[in-house]
Amino acid sequence: MSRGGGKGLSLKDKLDGNELDLSLCDLNEVPVRELAALPKATILDLSCNNLISLPSDFCSLMHLVKLDLSKNRLQQLPLDFGRLINLQHLDLLNNRLVTLPVSFAQLKNLKWLDLKDNPLDPVLAKVAGDCLDEKQCKQAAVKVLQHMKAIQSEQDRQRQQKLQAEREMEKKREAEQRAKEAQERELRKREKAEEKERRRREYDAQKAAKQEMEKKTKKETVHTRKPASSSRPAQRPRHKLSWSRSVLRVLLFVLFCILCTLAACKLTELQHQPLCVSVNTLYEDVVAALQNHKTLQNMLQHNS
């Protein structure tokens, strides 16, 4: 180990029983790795060096029971300094410390503490006292530990309050999210119902239009059939005329037959037959009746 670098000379040469004296070595940094290799060194003296800070891995030296860091230029201790739970004696005289890390409250075995000649926070300085003798340094250890435990408890309480506030905020966000999701579900449900109602109205409208079209088509079919039925009476005179013609033809045929019979009964040898005699007699009676009728008409005309 050499000055400034902390390397070169073996630390074993500095070890005396369980005490390792590294004071007045002009150290700028702590050789943590070499110190960790010497778990027997429970007493470590790093006083009167040029240490401005301690590395975070320094707190892994949990075998330390007594630690002297006086007369350095330390501005702060590592945040996890409380890991040195076996520490009983701590000398921080004449450094540049203003506060102590909250983890300091975990040094439950600490029995002796010197914080003189540091620009301490006024509250901490009042708690620590002067440490002018053994009794005051022991009281300083007890009071500082109590003070740091109170700070730790307050920080834990604030942390719990913060966590509780965060949990409540998270619950509130979750409740708002659930309310939002419920509102969205209700909106989708309402939109779905409206869409269903719209389709139902469209279906009813299409059905009504179809029924109206069927009625219209049926009416048009009825109107189309009516002229056909009304044309039948117009055709009836034709049938009636045809029937009249047929009757007239029959009458003419009968008249022709009568004339032929009369001619045969008058002009042929059949005139002496009983049938022809009856026909001739009937003919003469008809002619006589017609002549009488004609004479009567002339008389009536003459009188008029």
Side-chain angles (χ1 to χ4, degrees), residues 109-167:
N109 291 315
L110 190 64
K111 301 293 190 299
W112 194 97
L113 176 63
D114 189 357
L115 287 171
K116 290 192 308 295
D117 298 330
N118 280 280
L120 295 175
D121 176 80
V123 176
L124 180 60
K126 184 178 180 180
V127 171
D130 293 333
C131 190
L132 298 176
D133 53 31
E134 188 76 10
K135 182 179 179 180
Q136 289 182 350
C137 291
K138 288 182 178 180
Q139 289 178 347
V142 174
K143 291 180 178 179
V144 169
L145 283 179
Q146 291 176 348
H147 176 69
M148 298 310 298
K149 286 179 180 179
I151 293 176
Q152 186 180 47
S153 298
E154 180 62 21
Q155 289 188 355
D156 290 342
R157 187 184 66 81
Q158 292 178 357
R159 190 180 300 108
Q160 289 296 325
Q161 289 180 345
K162 184 178 180 180
L163 291 175
Q164 182 66 23
E166 290 177 353
R167 284 195 292 266

Side-chain angles (χ1 to χ4, degrees), residues 79-93:
L79 294 178
D80 55 348
F81 192 80
R83 290 176 59 192
L84 301 174
I85 56 176
N86 292 312
L87 199 60
Q88 299 179 14
H89 185 110
L90 177 61
D91 193 345
L92 293 170
L93 171 71

Side-chain angles (χ1 to χ4, degrees), residues 247-282:
V247 172
L248 181 58
R249 288 175 181 175
V250 171
L251 292 175
L252 290 175
F253 179 72
V254 171
L255 182 58
F256 177 73
C257 292
I258 293 172
L259 290 176
C260 291
T261 303
L262 287 174
C265 289
K266 287 286 188 181
L267 301 176
T268 63
E269 295 177 353
L270 296 174
Q271 60 183 343
H272 300 294
Q273 295 294 328
L275 179 59
C276 286
V277 171
S278 300
V279 171
N280 288 333
T281 303
L282 180 60

Side-chain angles (χ1 to χ4, degrees), residues 279-295:
V279 171
N280 288 333
T281 303
L282 180 60
Y283 173 74
E284 291 175 356
D285 291 339
V286 171
V287 171
L290 291 174
Q291 288 177 352
N292 291 333
H293 179 66
K294 195 171 186 180
T295 300

Side-chain angles (χ1 to χ4, degrees), residues 211-278:
Q211 291 177 351
E212 186 66 23
M213 183 63 69
E214 290 176 354
K215 289 180 180 179
K216 187 176 180 181
T217 304
K218 189 179 294 184
K219 287 181 180 180
E220 290 178 353
T221 304
V222 171
H223 288 309
T224 305
R225 290 177 179 176
K226 281 184 179 181
S229 60
S230 62
S231 64
R232 290 178 182 176
Q235 293 176 357
R236 287 176 185 174
R238 295 183 181 179
H239 294 293
K240 188 174 181 180
L241 181 59
S242 300
W243 183 78
S244 300
R245 288 179 180 177
S246 299
V247 172
L248 181 58
R249 288 175 181 175
V250 171
L251 292 175
L252 290 175
F253 179 72
V254 171
L255 182 58
F256 177 73
C257 292
I258 293 172
L259 290 176
C260 291
T261 303
L262 287 174
C265 289
K266 287 286 188 181
L267 301 176
T268 63
E269 295 177 353
L270 296 174
Q271 60 183 343
H272 300 294
Q273 295 294 328
L275 179 59
C276 286
V277 171
S278 300

